[in-house]
Amino acid sequence: MRFFPIIAVIGGFATMGYPQPAPAPLALNVVLQECEDEELQEAAMNALLQMDAERSMPLLMKVLERRDECSLKLRRKAVFVVAQQEIEGTEQILLRVARTDPDEEVREQAVFWLSQVPGDGAVTALDSILMESEVRAIQEKAIFALAQHESSRAHEILRTYVERADQPVELREKAVFWLGNEGSAADQEYLRGLFSRVESRSLKEKIIFAAAQNETVENRDWLLAIAGDANESMTVRKRALFWVAQRDDLSVADLGRLYGGAAEREMKQQILFGLSQRDEAQAVDQLMEIARSETDTELRRKAVFWLGQTDDPRAADFLLQIINQEVQ
């Protein structure tokens, strides 16, 4: 990363003993102060991307300081351009914008681009936004940005945040979601371990969803275990079963074993639905066996119902046998 001898201060551009940076071309200053030709202003902002930071930063700082109505689009663009500058202090500029700009979209953009700034400084800035902002949308952007950041510390911050009972559960759920979608194998293992430590049903369901989006063998077996855990609530178990049943690597035999081990009618009904969604011939075999031998009349009726939804010709023959009272 290149470092230029400039100190960026929103509200002024101080040199503090350093040589005064070369000014941006006067023409660009004039263009960006006008409020009539948006296309020309857009071209001027794009031109700043081609300049080195020493010349472009003074003008970008002036744009970010503006609060007039016609500067809104310019400030949004300026946030992006600042994020592309490989200079010391970029994260502090974006942090200040995220905290002070009057436009929420500008603030959100500043938070987003912090995710692209390398180093612990950007992570620290995002952590402070997450913990100190009073705007929910900004906090959500900070969570997303931390999940996107390449630093391992960023994910450690999200893990810590998920377990903070004093924080809004909706934001903790967002952190779980992004850890599941953007996280490493270590994050996946962490979420599986976290499941037993949280009391919130909604958090548990978010962890299940996160595991379902990462089709590892470990997550498949874990979801099956949750589905079969009588100590969990029926809602949570059914959610785990719903997602694991969508996986191609889950065998019909796995579902059959789960059915045999389930004690509750509601759970068995969910497993019957899972069997009905499978294309394998073994799923039809399983449904016919349940319709033939299940002692719970309601469950036998449900198995028959799902057999009626399949195109397997054996199902039609089996239903005719039921009608003719030939099923043993």
Side-chain angles (χ1 to χ4, degrees):
M1 180 181 291
R2 294 179 298 166
F3 296 100
F4 295 92
I6 58 175
I7 301 295
V9 179
I10 292 185
F13 201 89
T15 59
M16 296 182 66
Y18 287 86
Q20 190 73 278
L26 179 60
L28 282 178
N29 277 288
V30 173
V31 167
L32 292 173
Q33 291 300 320
E34 297 294 331
C35 193
E36 296 177 357
D37 196 332
E38 291 187 0
E39 291 185 3
L40 189 60
Q41 290 179 319
E42 179 75 12
M45 292 299 296
N46 289 334
L48 294 180
L49 282 168
Q50 312 306 315
M51 291 183 181
D52 59 49
E54 189 174 7
R55 292 198 299 158
S56 64
M57 284 301 293
L59 187 51
L60 290 167
M61 301 303 293
K62 290 180 180 179
V63 170
L64 290 171
E65 291 164 14
R66 290 174 58 180
R67 295 295 181 260
D68 53 291
E69 184 176 347
C70 71
S71 71
L72 181 56
K73 290 184 179 180
L74 295 177
R75 300 202 312 273
R76 292 172 182 173
K77 181 73 173 183
V79 167
F80 164 74
V81 179
V82 166
Q84 310 312 304
Q85 307 300 321
E86 296 185 353
I87 64 169
E88 185 177 11
T90 297
E91 68 274 11
Q92 292 302 316
I93 297 171
L94 294 175
L95 176 59
R96 181 68 178 271
V97 173
R99 286 176 169 171
T100 65
D101 195 280
D103 180 69
E104 185 170 317
E105 184 172 339
V106 173
R107 299 198 305 272
E108 289 180 7
Q109 286 293 312
V111 174
F112 171 81
W113 287 113
L114 273 168
S115 70
Q116 309 301 308
V117 178
D120 274 352
V123 175
T124 299
L126 288 169
D127 187 20
S128 69
I129 291 169
L130 175 58
M131 298 308 301
E132 297 170 12
S133 177
E134 297 180 355
V135 180
R136 181 64 57 86
I138 298 294
Q139 291 178 295
E140 289 181 5
K141 285 291 189 300
I143 289 170
F144 172 76
L146 285 165
Q148 297 292 312
H149 203 278
E150 61 185 15
S151 168
S152 59
R153 179 168 167 256
H155 284 214
E156 291 173 4
I157 289 171
L158 288 180
R159 293 180 188 180
T160 300
Y161 188 79
V162 166
E163 299 196 49
R164 289 196 56 162
D166 62 326
Q167 295 300 306
V169 68
E170 295 84 0
L171 289 176
R172 294 162 66 200
E173 289 172 5
K174 292 284 185 182
V176 166
F177 175 84
W178 287 116
L179 279 173
N181 278 266
E182 302 293 334
S184 62
D187 287 323
Q188 291 293 312
E189 183 178 0
Y190 163 76
L191 289 175
R192 293 194 299 268
L194 173 67
F195 184 86
S196 61
R197 302 199 304 273
V198 297
E199 299 295 331
S200 166
R201 192 186 75 188
S202 61
L203 266 176
K204 284 180 178 257
E205 291 183 2
K206 286 295 186 298
I207 295 171
I208 286 171
F209 178 78
Q213 305 313 298
N214 288 267
E215 296 191 350
T216 64
V217 172
E218 291 82 4
N219 281 346
R220 180 200 64 193
D221 293 344
W222 180 76
L223 288 170
L224 270 176
I226 296 299
D229 188 352
N231 293 319
E232 290 293 340
S233 71
M234 182 59 61
T235 300
V236 167
R237 292 172 63 194
K238 287 171 65 176
R239 185 70 65 183
L241 176 61
F242 172 83
W243 286 114
V244 75
Q246 314 300 311
R247 293 179 55 129
D248 294 334
D249 63 345
L250 181 73
S251 70
V252 172
D254 287 329
L255 286 173
R257 284 190 288 273
L258 196 59
Y259 185 92
E264 308 88 349
R265 174 188 288 176
E266 188 176 355
M267 194 63 190
K268 288 191 172 186
Q269 287 177 335
Q270 187 71 22
I271 298 169
L272 288 174
F273 171 76
L275 287 168
S276 76
Q277 304 304 297
R278 306 299 293 253
D279 295 327
E280 301 96 324
Q282 294 93 327
V284 174
D285 291 336
Q286 192 76 56
L287 288 171
M288 289 192 296
E289 177 58 29
I290 292 169
R292 183 183 295 112
S293 60
E294 173 63 63
T295 58
D296 187 318
T297 302
E298 181 61 30
L299 291 173
R300 294 180 67 191
R301 289 175 180 168
K302 189 66 69 174
V304 167
F305 171 81
W306 288 121
L307 282 168
Q309 310 300 307
T310 181
D311 295 329
D312 191 314
R314 294 176 304 143
D317 292 339
F318 183 80
L319 294 176
L320 182 59
Q321 291 175 31
I322 291 176
I323 292 170
N324 293 332
Q325 296 185 337
E326 298 172 359
V327 172
Q328 300 297 322

